[in-house]
Amino acid sequence: MTIGNPINRIDGKLKVTGSARYAADFAVGTPLYAELVTSTIGLGRVTGVDDSAARRVPGVREVYSHANPLPVDAADFFGMGGRAQQSWQPFAEPDVRFNGEIVGLVVADTLIAAREAARSMRLDYETQEPAAVFGAEGLEPEELPDRGLSAGDIEAAMQAATQSVDETYRTSANTHNAMELFATTAQWSGDELTVYVPSQWVEGFAAGIAEELGIDRSRVRVVSPYVGGGFGGKGSLFTWTSIIAAAARDLGRPVKLYVTREQGFTTASYRAETEQDFRLGAGEGGRFTGFEHTGREISSRADTYVVNGSENTSRMYHADAVRTGVTCVHADRQTPGFMRAPPETPYFFALESGVDELAWKLGMDPVELRRVNDIDREPVNGVPYTSRSLMECYDAAADRFGWSDYEQRVGSRTDGDWLVGWGCATATYPTLMAPCSVRLHLDATGTARVWVASHDVGTGAYTVLAQATAQALGIPVENVSIELGDSRLPPGTIAGGSISTASNVSVIEIAARQIHDKLGTTAETMNPEEAFANYGQRAIEEYAEWIPPAASRKQARTLYNGKVAIVGGPEEDYTAFAFGAEFAEVRVHKYTREVRVPRLIGAFAAGRIMNEKTARSQYLGGMIWGLGHALLEKTEVDPRNGKIVNANIAEYLVPVNADVQELEAILIPETDEKVNPAGVKGIGEIGIVGTAAAIANAVYHATGIRVRHTPIHVEDLLPQA
Ligand code: MOS
């Protein structure tokens, strides 16, 4: 068995020796260097551009701004089925829509000259006061009634409850801050364009760049074989990418852009802050009666983007009646976007905090409350789960954690000056899939090559696809090489929504079957030399497509159009989710109110696991990020001017080794033959879901203080008067 083996990453050596080439590493002759100029006001317009000092910097080739724009259109916004991170192009107009927006570009012979010139740009502004954060005057709420769900009579169900919670929860804005900075290199050869850009979606980027430059899609190649962390932040086409390509065309030279860490905060996407109203009632024995969850989410003025996580929170437990809703709150901010478990991370903080609050009110063990409300059909459409191992996860994690010693009493555990608390929460992620193709080559030496325009964003995709290929063909994994991250390869999936493994493994198995059909072999009996001798050829190359059954004919056609058609999760006739349970121990210092997390234990069930080592890394990484979401991460926006005041990784706090103490992920075996041919559920995002609630619940257990927002800071835990 190759699948499941915890083999090391096949690209590990390339990465640790510096031989793996990331987008910015590609050499392109003698490039020019670009530097972005960003706005220093939060709203208004540029009334004057003085680039004379910038142009005097030795080595400067050109200065672009709305006074000297580049011919670039905006591709359709991804939130409306397109590919672009936002619906407008920077400096096409003098308007400034948020603080840190791109308002100009300098191109020079050297990076240093470009940076110096960018700093020498003098812009005059007409400034207005932005409405950038919740509570500001001038926000525009847009209700999205078609995104809400309703089942049963919610008011009657709430009336029937003997206990209920009715609270508002808030989650903070977060910025991806992948280790690999954003970058773009554009090189023209005649009318053929090659773009090296960190990307979770080379197909979509290529199509979007073609759209923005008004050239044929076949003329654009996007290359991104390795990605140093994406987390969703590299999943939609950056506004600057086509601008760099247009500058390269204008100047007749390759152009290279490195986006600084600070600029990455304002020129790419982010996880928007939310406010959520949550109501949950319980009747006899804790069985839930009514479930109501509505969200408000910040977006830009122009773009309607919501993650609408109650699509999924409403599917978790029994409920007699369900009502959900979502409002997009338009503000003077950049357009937000995907960030690891985009809907679930914020919305499960509310759900899983709320369930815990109800457990305390009922005097019920929070694990038992979830058991009482465990289901095999989701309550909105009443359709069955393909598989659901939630309580197996709870039982395994609870056992490992020692939960049988839990006492539901504030302050029940102390250790010297430390108040100790325990909490738990559900983790989940819908099993999503998308149409995908592959080209698979096998030769008489038993060597296989796989080509697909999918991605390894650091998750281990190269490795697990090699394992899947080896097993499907019946050859050693060392004999498989994989090429990903190039839009010239057969169209793959976006590396988002945890869809890659399920989709790619499903299509690889089809291609392998085609090869076996021709050779008259099976994986079990494969002897390449003999088989090819009989076949009379040295090699076979097969192309295959996989269209998930739930995808419509129309969605299937998106495969060759650089669009994405994601299906799965809650569908009309089934519902597919991976599950987990996370347990946290916290220590809150009696006097300083500092919070530490000495233990985090999660158990996860996600169908067939391709590689126990890379899977565990995904879970652990997700839980660590959940700890950051709970206690550290927050993109701080100054309400006076919309400026992000901690746009660096010194002041934007993320967990470091010392913050993470005992950490464990338990893999619960699960077989799901219905979910997809590969039997695989995505695991890239589930780890972060629920962690923040588990920690907040533990903080309550320790202190009796219920914090209904993230991150939880020392000042939230000062003893209440
Ligand atoms: Mo993930 S946020 O879907 O890249």
Side-chain angles (χ1 to χ4, degrees):
M1 278 295 273
T2 306
I3 287 181
N5 281 351
I7 64 167
N8 290 335
R9 288 161 192 251
I10 61 178
D11 51 337
K13 192 172 164 193
L14 287 178
K15 286 186 173 176
V16 298
T17 56
S19 341
R21 282 200 292 176
Y22 292 79
D25 298 336
F26 284 86
V28 288
T30 314
L32 300 174
Y33 292 87
E35 179 77 1
L36 302 173
V37 181
T38 52
S39 74
T40 54
I41 64 163
L43 182 68
R45 56 201 299 274
V46 177
T47 52
V49 179
D50 177 0
D51 59 10
S52 53
R55 286 182 183 277
R56 278 199 302 274
V57 174
V60 167
R61 295 288 176 133
E62 193 49 273
V63 179
Y64 302 100
S65 66
H66 84 89
N68 180 27
L70 283 158
V72 179
D73 289 330
D76 287 343
F77 171 50
F78 78 85
M80 305 301 273
R83 299 130 181 155
Q85 80 181 64
Q86 67 182 36
S87 61
W88 73 98
Q89 268 299 321
F91 64 79
E93 295 162 355
D95 304 66
V96 174
R97 305 191 196 209
F98 60 86
N99 206 316
E101 179 171 23
I102 301 168
V103 289
L105 181 81
V106 175
V107 184
D109 289 340
T110 65
L111 180 60
I112 289 169
R115 293 223 155 137
E116 188 188 338
R119 277 178 207 140
S120 316
M121 289 281 281
R122 293 287 162 263
L123 296 169
D124 291 324
Y125 297 104
E126 181 189 295
T127 307
Q128 289 167 257
E129 204 172 308
V133 295
F134 280 124
E137 246 173 70
L139 298 172
E140 282 171 276
E142 177 193 4
E143 257 192 78
L144 302 167
D146 54 322
R147 314 260 186 122
L149 300 170
S150 171
D153 182 341
I154 184 70
E155 292 312 325
M158 292 306 303
Q159 299 255 303
T162 55
Q163 283 290 355
S164 62
V165 290
D166 182 356
E167 298 291 350
T168 299
Y169 299 85
R170 295 180 172 82
T171 59
S172 57
N174 288 174
T175 300
H176 304 82
N177 281 314
M179 244 201 294
E180 179 198 26
L181 293 170
F182 299 112
T184 290
T185 304
Q187 180 173 37
W188 291 85
S189 164
D191 61 355
E192 303 266 337
L193 171 65
T194 304
V195 179
Y196 304 90
V197 54
S199 175
Q200 295 173 243
W201 192 24
V202 288
E203 280 287 311
F205 276 40
I209 291 165
E211 192 183 341
E212 293 187 336
L213 296 177
I215 59 178
D216 195 82
R217 158 75 183 81
S218 62
R219 300 274 174 243
V220 183
R221 177 182 180 195
V222 172
V223 181
S224 178
Y226 295 95
V227 180
F231 316 122
K234 294 165 182 166
S236 53
L237 178 60
F238 311 112
T239 56
W240 65 73
T241 301
S242 296
I243 290 176
I244 296 302
R249 185 168 55 185
D250 188 40
L251 299 170
R253 289 272 296 276
V255 174
K256 203 161 196 160
L257 168 74
Y258 303 102
V259 179
T260 66
R261 177 66 65 188
E262 181 174 2
Q263 290 168 344
F265 273 80
T266 64
T267 63
S269 77
Y270 65 107
R271 190 199 296 286
E273 56 267 48
T274 72
E275 292 182 345
Q276 304 164 49
D277 296 331
F278 180 77
R279 235 170 23 134
L280 183 64
E284 215 50 53
R287 191 91 163 145
F288 295 155
T289 56
F291 173 98
E292 188 174 39
H293 196 178
T294 58
R296 292 179 290 282
E297 305 180 24
I298 290 282
S299 185
S300 61
R301 286 285 171 191
D303 294 327
T304 298
Y305 175 78
V306 290
V307 297
N308 195 22
S310 45
E311 274 267 348
N312 293 341
T313 57
S314 59
R315 261 76 183 214
M316 284 303 109
Y317 303 114
H318 170 82
D320 296 326
V322 169
R323 199 185 81 80
T324 75
V326 67
T327 299
C328 181
V329 180
H330 295 284
D332 299 309
R333 291 275 292 279
Q334 76 219 73
T335 303
F338 323 114
M339 185 159 160
R340 203 173 197 173
E344 293 75 16
T345 302
Y347 280 75
F348 275 73
F349 174 68
L351 172 69
E352 294 299 304
S353 296
V355 168
D356 191 73
E357 294 203 48
L358 194 51
W360 281 79
K361 282 192 174 178
L362 292 162
M364 265 181 91
D365 182 301
V367 177
E368 292 315 304
L369 181 58
R370 289 170 175 100
R371 195 185 314 279
V372 163
N373 289 289
D374 193 27
I375 48 179
D376 53 18
R377 291 176 169 267
E378 56 89 2
V380 179
N381 296 329
V383 297
Y385 279 92
T386 57
S387 61
R388 174 173 158 120
S389 308
L390 176 65
M391 293 319 297
E392 287 83 347
C393 293
Y394 265 104
D395 290 341
D399 187 53
R400 184 84 183 104
F401 191 86
W403 187 257
S404 53
D405 292 337
Y406 175 74
E407 189 191 338
Q408 196 176 47
R409 181 168 61 82
V410 169
S412 52
R413 305 180 85 87
T414 54
D415 179 10
D417 283 343
W418 292 91
L419 311 171
V420 179
W422 288 2
C424 61
T426 294
T428 191
Y429 196 78
T431 302
L432 306 177
M433 297 149 273
C436 185
S437 71
V438 74
R439 188 169 288 283
L440 177 55
H441 183 99
L442 179 68
D443 71 22
T445 69
T447 302
R449 303 185 64 167
V450 177
W451 294 284
V452 54
S454 286
H455 314 80
D456 190 330
V457 292
T459 46
Y462 281 107
T463 309
V464 302
L465 298 189
Q467 288 177 277
T469 306
Q471 177 140 339
L473 288 173
I475 59 172
V477 69
E478 304 75 44
N479 290 13
V480 183
S481 66
I482 309 274
E483 278 184 52
L484 306 174
D486 185 331
S487 65
R488 286 223 175 135
L489 299 173
T493 64
I494 188 172
S498 299
I499 68 179
S500 292
T501 305
S503 311
N504 284 300
V505 173
S506 293
V507 75
I508 284 170
E509 289 182 348
I510 295 171
R513 207 173 316 127
Q514 289 170 198
I515 288 181
H516 286 306
D517 286 350
K518 287 205 172 150
L519 288 177
T521 50
T522 64
E524 290 69 34
T525 63
M526 174 59 82
N527 176 334
E529 215 171 311
E530 264 174 35
F532 279 95
N534 293 338
Y535 184 60
Q537 294 274 12
R538 287 291 304 157
I540 291 183
E541 198 164 298
E542 284 292 316
Y543 182 78
E545 287 175 2
W546 179 65
I547 310 295
S552 67
R553 197 174 295 219
K554 191 166 155 225
Q555 283 174 313
R557 284 203 296 268
T558 61
L559 183 56
Y560 298 95
N561 295 341
K563 294 224 169 188
V564 66
I566 296 179
V567 300
E571 283 286 348
E572 267 166 36
D573 46 359
Y574 71 90
T575 187
F577 283 81
F579 287 96
E582 297 187 16
F583 287 72
E585 178 172 307
V586 304
R587 293 156 73 90
V588 181
H589 194 272
K590 210 157 125 182
Y591 301 113
T592 68
R593 314 310 277 182
E594 174 192 6
V595 184
R596 306 294 298 162
V597 183
R599 289 200 294 152
L600 261 186
I601 295 177
F604 303 92
R608 183 159 67 151
I609 293 301
M610 300 301 296
N611 178 319
E612 284 187 14
K613 186 180 279 183
T614 55
R616 183 168 279 111
S617 294
Q618 288 301 297
Y619 295 140
L620 296 178
M623 289 160 72
I624 292 169
W625 199 345
L627 190 163
H629 184 227
L631 300 176
L632 300 166
E633 289 198 46
K634 184 179 184 189
T635 305
E636 296 272 7
V637 178
D638 186 333
R640 296 168 304 176
N641 53 23
K643 185 178 166 65
I644 296 175
V645 296
N646 60 340
N648 56 72
I649 48 173
E651 292 164 292
Y652 181 94
L653 304 178
V654 296
V656 296
N657 286 356
D659 293 307
V660 182
Q661 299 175 33
E662 193 185 323
L663 178 69
E664 193 177 332
I666 303 165
L667 277 54
I668 303 294
E670 183 183 69
T671 304
D672 189 330
E673 286 168 359
K674 289 184 215 137
V675 70
N676 52 51
V680 167
K681 296 179 175 178
I683 58 171
E685 306 184 65
I686 185 173
I688 188 177
V689 180
T691 320
I695 290 172
N697 297 341
V699 165
Y700 179 76
H701 186 221
T703 64
I705 299 173
R706 180 63 70 174
V707 183
R708 298 189 181 89
H709 61 252
T710 62
I712 299 169
H713 282 161
V714 165
E715 56 268 32
D716 299 315
L717 301 177
L718 298 175
Q720 288 162 332

